[in-house]
Amino acid sequence: MLLWVFFLVILTLDSGSHCSPPSLPLRMPRYADAIFTNSYRKVLGQLSARKLLQDIMSRQQGERNQEQGAKVRLGRQVDSVWAGQKQMALESILVALLQKHRNCQG
């Protein structure tokens, strides 16, 4: 209510010169609002840019973790295949040694 009274008083005082720019008391709140709005937009832009970067970095980290997990699984598979091949090779060597030993004795 008090703001409307102030506004009406300013209008009645300015009624003599309609072409002049708004008086200083009306300009200051607008200027302060513009400064606040611009600063607020900058802060919001920085926050959204930071959030976007964090999302990108977390996705990349997740992909790296998945790649490392796949490498570990592949390594385990290779190790199990290698162990199986070593066991088969040892068995064939043992069979050959037993046959050689039997041939020498018998």
Side-chain angles (χ1 to χ4, degrees):
M1 176 77 173
L2 186 61
L3 185 63
W4 282 104
V5 172
F6 177 74
F7 183 67
L8 288 174
V9 169
I10 295 297
L11 283 178
T12 55
L13 291 176
D14 271 349
S15 63
S17 58
H18 292 288
C19 297
S20 67
S23 65
L24 187 61
L26 286 178
R27 272 191 189 178
M28 291 306 284
R30 289 184 194 161
Y31 181 70
D33 286 345
I35 289 174
F36 173 77
T37 302
N38 288 339
S39 299
Y40 186 68
R41 285 183 184 164
K42 285 180 187 178
V43 169
L44 286 180
Q46 290 172 351
L47 289 174
S48 62
R50 182 177 295 161
K51 173 98 172 90
L52 178 65
L53 285 174
Q54 287 175 346
D55 289 344
I56 290 171
M57 291 173 66
S58 66
R59 282 187 208 143
Q60 288 177 347
Q61 186 63 34
E63 289 172 1
R64 282 191 204 124
N65 289 343
Q66 287 178 349
E67 289 173 5
Q68 288 175 352
K71 286 179 184 177
V72 167
R73 284 189 299 274
L74 180 63
R76 287 181 186 154
Q77 290 172 351
V78 167
D79 287 346
S80 66
V81 168
W82 178 250
Q85 288 177 347
K86 284 194 312 187
Q87 184 177 358
M88 286 175 28
L90 285 174
E91 286 175 358
S92 65
I93 290 171
L94 285 175
V95 168
L97 284 173
L98 283 173
Q99 285 177 349
K100 187 175 181 182
H101 183 67
R102 285 185 189 157
N103 288 340
C104 290
Q105 284 183 357

